[in-house]
Amino acid sequence: MTGFDALTAEGLYQLRRARDEFLAGGLYGRTPPGLPAELVTAWRRALFYGVPPDLAAVPRVPGPRHPSLFAAASPVLERLVDSLSAADLAVVLSDARGRVEAVQAQSHDVRRHLERIDTGPGADLSETTTGLNGISAVVETGRPALVRGPQHVLGLYQETACAGAPIR
C-alpha cells in the first residue's frame, strides 16, 4: 500500500487516521491521498449502504442457515483448527452471502475476542451490513483477501486481521 503499510505500527496509525477522515467526510467527502483504489471503493460502498462504523453489534440472520454447507465443511474445519491450534487463530465458515455458519477456535483468548467483536454463527458479515471485512471482501471479489485493523469499516474490528478465501 502506498504510504500506508498495514504491517507496521506507523502504517496502521496513518491508515486509521485516513479511515477516520474518509468515513467522517461521508459519501462525497475528500479521499485522503495514497489510499489504494480498491480500499476507497470498498469504503465508499459501505457509506452508500449506510453501514455505521460505530455499530455496536453485528446484525444477525434469523432462522435456519445452511446445515448441508456446515456438514460438508466440518471435516476440513476440524483439520484446519487442529493444524492451527498452536497459533491464536480462528476459522470462520460463511455462506456465499457472508453469513457466518460456523466458528472454530482452540484458544480461549481467541474465543473471547470473537465474542467481543460479535462474530459467531448467524452473524451477517455481508458488505451491505458490516462494510469491508475479510469475508465481505471475498464475497465481493471472489478472490482471497486480507483485511487488517483499520482497513475494516466497523470499529469493532479495528484490532482484528481477517484473511479469507472462497470455497469452490
Side-chain angles (χ1 to χ4, degrees), residues 10 16 67 72 82 90-91 98 110 135 137 155 160-161 167:
E10 178 61 25
R16 185 164 283 112
D82 287 343
V91 178
V110 171
I135 288 175
T160 303
I167 300 173

Side-chain angles (χ1 to χ4, degrees), residues 25-151:
L27 192 54
Y28 302 105
R30 183 180 92 73
T31 300
L35 286 173
E38 192 172 83
L39 184 58
V40 170
T41 301
W43 285 353
R44 278 204 199 291
R45 284 192 304 264
L47 290 172
F48 175 78
Y49 292 133
V51 174
D54 60 350
L55 195 65
V58 173
R60 292 291 193 239
V61 179
R65 293 180 300 276
H66 301 284
S68 59
L69 173 62
F70 179 70
S74 285
V76 176
L77 289 175
E78 289 172 17
R79 281 196 308 272
L80 274 173
V81 170
D82 287 343
S83 67
L84 299 174
S85 64
D88 281 343
L89 299 171
V91 178
V92 179
L93 175 69
S94 79
D95 68 11
R97 294 184 197 155
R99 298 175 300 193
V100 175
E101 295 294 324
V103 177
Q104 302 268 343
Q106 296 275 354
S107 163
H108 175 70
D109 290 341
V110 171
R111 288 193 305 273
R112 278 195 12 234
H113 178 72
L114 290 166
E115 288 173 17
R116 270 195 313 275
I117 63 172
D118 199 28
T119 301
D124 182 355
L125 297 182
S126 64
E127 194 175 57
T128 59
T129 61
T130 57
L132 179 64
N133 59 64
I135 288 175
S136 70
V138 172
V139 169
E140 182 65 30
T141 66
R143 299 186 321 257
L146 176 60
V147 179
R148 298 173 200 94
Q151 292 173 326

